[in-house]
Amino acid sequence: MAQKHSVQISTFKTAFDGGTRPNRFEIMIPGVDGDDIDPVLVKAGSMPPETVGVINIPYRGRLVKFPGDRSYAEWTVTIIDTAEPNHRSMLEVWHEQFNQHEDNVVDSVDILTGTNTTYFKEITVQQVDMSGNPIKERLIKLVNAWPVAIGAINLSYDTADSLVEYSVTFAYDYLIGDGDE
């Protein structure tokens, strides 16, 4: 017979400690020429996923699994638009440096090295507690990040009582978690 496990609500609440909230975060996106995006304007994002592939090796009618290579999916945030400062314009300038609209060339040959900090930035994602304090081991740094897509801004006479927002998708080489450095 299974043993009954009893936990009082007060015990659960004490162990739970209020939990973490998905609306308590700061995302720091450095801009071009020091024009950083204010973390308050980053409306939504995520703690980036981490994936290690699987190598399947057949052995006597079964597949034996071994860890494969780590990969990083592109990462998307939602930004609230402002007229001043115009962060979207800054992102468009940053984006164009990788392939110019009219000339179809890169801004500088340095861009091809993938390490020039003018083009490749470190984005920080930090979860915070209910008091706004950083949560230990909930800091992620996206290394050598750059914008691969700047989303559309939808305009409509039908839209009222809302702010303009758009998405930005970044590629990055790898991530560093708190304690990984």
Side-chain angles (χ1 to χ4, degrees):
M1 183 164 113
Q3 184 178 3
K4 184 176 180 181
H5 185 69
S6 175
V7 177
Q8 295 178 345
I9 290 175
S10 60
T11 305
F12 170 74
K13 288 175 106 175
T14 301
F16 184 60
D17 196 30
T20 59
R21 308 292 170 90
N23 62 354
R24 306 290 177 160
F25 64 91
E26 287 185 354
I27 297 177
M28 309 291 279
I29 302 173
V32 178
D33 298 327
D35 188 20
D36 299 350
I37 294 176
D38 188 331
V40 173
L41 299 175
V42 182
K43 176 186 168 191
S46 66
M47 295 300 273
E50 298 184 46
T51 305
V52 174
V54 176
I55 301 170
N56 292 309
I57 309 274
Y59 177 73
R60 295 188 175 182
R62 296 205 176 167
L63 292 176
V64 179
K65 298 176 187 252
F66 292 95
D69 296 320
R70 183 174 294 276
S71 64
Y72 301 97
E74 292 175 349
W75 179 76
T76 301
V77 295
T78 302
I79 297 175
I80 298 171
D81 195 37
T82 58
E84 290 295 328
N86 187 341
H87 294 301
R88 182 177 175 90
S89 177
M90 180 273 300
L91 285 162
E92 289 169 343
V93 167
W94 185 9
H95 192 249
E96 186 176 9
Q97 291 173 345
F98 294 98
N99 187 278
Q100 296 176 3
H101 291 286
E102 188 175 348
D103 297 334
N104 193 29
V105 296
V106 296
D107 187 53
S108 167
V109 176
D110 286 348
I111 210 165
L112 302 175
T113 65
T115 58
N116 188 316
T117 57
T118 302
Y119 308 106
F120 300 92
K121 306 290 184 177
E122 185 174 276
I123 295 175
T124 304
V125 183
Q126 173 72 65
Q127 238 182 321
V128 297
D129 65 18
M130 293 298 288
S131 299
N133 300 313
I135 297 175
K136 185 179 179 183
E137 297 181 2
R138 292 290 175 93
L139 171 72
I140 300 289
K141 295 178 183 177
L142 308 179
V143 179
N144 292 332
W146 53 282
V148 296
I150 301 170
I153 291 180
N154 297 317
L155 305 172
S156 172
Y157 286 134
D158 298 337
T159 306
D161 299 325
S162 65
L163 296 172
V164 170
E165 55 187 53
Y166 57 93
S167 63
V168 181
T169 301
F170 292 90
Y172 57 99
D173 289 340
Y174 59 95
L175 60 80
I176 299 172
D178 194 28
D180 289 348
E181 297 182 85

